[in-house]
Amino acid sequence: AGGGGGGGAMAPAGGKAGPGLATRAARAALPAFGGGERVRTRAALAALAAARSERALKGLVKGVTAVGLVPAAIPAAFEELYATYKGAVLGSGVPGADDREVAGVLRAIAGRTLKEFLEPYEFPSEHKRILAPYNYYEFGQRYVRNLVNFERSWLGHRERWDDVQARLARGENVILLTNHQSEADPGVFALLLEQTHPELAEEVAYVAGDRVTDDALCKPFTMGRNVFCVHSKKHMDDDPATRPRKQKQNMKTLGRISKALGRGGQLLWIAPSGGRDRPDPATGVFSPAEFDPAAVDLMAKLAGKAKKTTTLFPMAMWSAPVMPPPAGLEKDLGEQRVTNFSGVSISLGAPVDPAGVPEGQSLSDTIFEAVCEEYAWTDRVIRLDESPPAHFSQPFLAGQKERQAQYL
């Protein structure tokens, strides 16, 4: 279910292969761990493929840590992720979302993360999603799919998504300026559009910060997306010595974005806030983080210079409960991860023409207000359980149970 090859890391969980078999496989592979990177990777992935239970997986993660293949903090982080993901999946009540599925997903995560420690992937300025020999896109979709309560999820303004698709088909570009709530956002975006707009779901390119390209747990998920890699202003000075290098890469990435817009047919996703939304400390309620006007103006400038017509669309994302971010901004990689089974939503505002911004108001404020307006609708419907407005629909429910059964 859910993905391509990769040393069996995505093979179905289940069967009677218990910790004894997994331990024997790990011990048999240990001599190879002293060999070259490729030999060690194959041996480690083969050992993980034999682990079909929670106990076996956790034991193997501890084993590869003990022989020095991964940092000492990994077993505790893995056990924490296993516990929270298991709680979310088993608590969902979805038929087939059981211990077997949890083990399959976490085995895949363990395998892909281990591979990053042994053979780290270096992201170029413009990264194209990797579908073979291992399907990283389906790997990410499988993980997020189990966390989405589709019955309580919504797509806002389907007709505007139709408009976006039509623009792209004409060779035009579309830039989505959106708030950002969780590491699961790319998966959520794709899941809500895969039934009606599969090209948008799969071909969108994300402007992504270095945290999702440097964190070993994040990297496998990012590898399944089209990404333009930048360094966020929020983390530009985490290490002052690296600032010149980061600035140089950002300039290179802007050049790649400009070329993509020049080719046409490009759908671009960017969060002008520079990071994820955070909850109000007093209420715990999430709302969109303020946009950086410089980031919005830069996108407008790129759009204006593009050889192909490029349109700016505000977009609201509601997904925080699925994978809530830390309460505060963290400099160190390896944050705590919590998962929940929750409804989600994306809603598209009307296109914004930079030349038509009201006098006395900035482009950034105009777009941010549109995002907040759409977000407010979603928040009332999902969090406060109010009736959905007329522009909300659930086209992804068609055939959803069949697709879920296929993946599970």
Side-chain angles (χ1 to χ4, degrees):
M10 290 292 278
K16 297 182 179 180
L21 175 59
T23 301
R24 290 197 298 273
R27 288 174 178 168
L30 285 179
F33 287 162
E37 288 184 350
R38 185 160 297 185
V39 173
R40 291 191 301 163
T41 301
R42 288 176 178 173
L45 290 178
L48 280 169
R52 303 302 176 116
S53 70
E54 178 178 351
R55 180 182 173 189
L57 273 170
K58 291 179 178 178
L60 270 167
V61 170
K62 289 180 180 178
V64 297
T65 304
V67 296
L69 295 183
V70 299
I74 291 299
F78 182 75
E79 291 195 16
E80 183 178 59
L81 177 61
Y82 204 115
T84 184
Y85 191 75
K86 178 180 178 179
V89 174
L90 299 189
S92 71
V94 175
D98 51 21
D99 283 299
R100 185 169 178 258
E101 172 64 7
V102 173
V105 171
L106 269 295
R107 185 173 62 249
I109 292 175
R112 293 301 102 189
T113 303
L114 175 59
K115 189 174 187 300
E116 282 310 301
F117 282 113
L118 296 175
E119 298 177 355
Y121 177 77
E122 295 294 330
F123 283 88
S125 291
E126 181 180 5
H127 164 82
K128 296 295 185 181
R129 64 190 183 125
I130 299 174
L131 304 179
Y134 187 85
N135 194 325
Y136 283 91
Y137 174 80
E138 289 298 345
F139 158 79
Q141 290 306 101
R142 181 186 186 186
Y143 172 81
V144 178
R145 188 183 300 274
N146 287 326
L147 299 175
V148 172
N149 183 344
F150 289 97
E151 297 290 338
R152 290 184 53 78
S153 297
W154 300 93
L155 181 69
H157 294 288
R158 178 176 174 174
E159 76 285 354
R160 291 174 180 165
W161 295 105
D162 294 339
D163 180 27
V164 168
Q165 184 167 278
R167 290 172 187 268
L168 297 174
R170 294 196 298 266
E172 300 177 14
N173 305 302
V174 169
I175 299 178
L176 305 176
L177 297 112
T178 178
N179 66 307
H180 176 29
Q181 294 215 313
S182 85
E183 291 178 328
D185 283 356
V188 168
F189 181 87
L191 287 171
L192 297 186
L193 291 174
E194 66 178 3
Q195 178 70 8
T196 54
H197 305 85
E199 297 89 354
L200 307 187
E202 298 176 13
E203 299 303 327
V204 58
Y206 299 87
V207 179
D210 50 341
R211 298 184 71 77
V212 297
T213 59
D214 289 351
D215 188 307
L217 182 57
C218 282
K219 286 177 70 175
F221 294 95
T222 309
M223 289 162 68
R225 313 291 169 182
N226 299 312
V227 175
F228 288 102
C229 302
V230 299
H231 295 275
S232 169
K233 289 172 64 176
K234 292 183 177 180
H235 296 286
M236 185 65 70
D237 293 316
D238 286 356
D239 180 0
T242 64
R243 182 182 176 89
R245 177 181 59 81
K246 291 178 179 179
Q247 290 177 321
K248 183 177 180 180
Q249 182 177 346
N250 280 1
M251 292 302 297
K252 183 178 180 181
T253 300
L254 286 178
R256 301 293 296 185
I257 293 175
S258 181
K259 288 183 179 179
L261 296 177
R263 291 191 298 267
Q266 179 68 61
L267 176 62
L268 194 66
W269 188 106
I270 181 171
S273 65
R276 289 166 289 177
D277 304 334
R278 293 301 198 272
D280 183 305
T283 65
V285 175
F286 283 82
S287 59
E290 290 284 346
F291 283 2
D292 177 2
V296 175
D297 291 342
L298 177 59
M299 289 299 108
K301 183 177 180 180
L302 290 172
K305 288 186 174 182
K307 297 178 181 178
K308 304 288 186 177
T309 300
T310 303
T311 307
L312 308 179
F313 277 84
M315 190 189 90
M317 190 109 205
W318 200 99
S319 63
V322 169
M323 288 185 71
L329 188 65
E330 297 191 350
K331 291 186 177 182
D332 296 329
L333 299 178
E335 67 183 52
Q336 180 186 38
R337 267 125 184 149
V338 176
T339 59
N340 299 287
F341 184 68
S342 172
V344 294
S345 174
I346 56 174
S347 188
L348 204 58
V352 175
D353 180 359
V357 172
E359 186 175 352
Q361 188 170 15
S362 70
L363 175 62
S364 181
D365 287 343
T366 300
I367 292 176
F368 184 67
E369 286 180 6
V371 169
C372 290
E373 182 179 348
E374 293 301 326
Y375 184 89
W377 281 111
T378 301
D379 194 54
R380 290 199 294 270
V381 172
I382 300 181
R383 184 175 66 86
L384 301 180
D385 204 25
E386 294 184 5
S387 298
H391 65 272
F392 273 27
S393 62
Q394 298 176 304
F396 43 79
L397 289 182
Q400 184 59 45
K401 291 183 179 180
E402 290 76 12
R403 289 195 298 277
Q404 194 80 5
Q406 175 188 349
Y407 281 98
L408 293 175

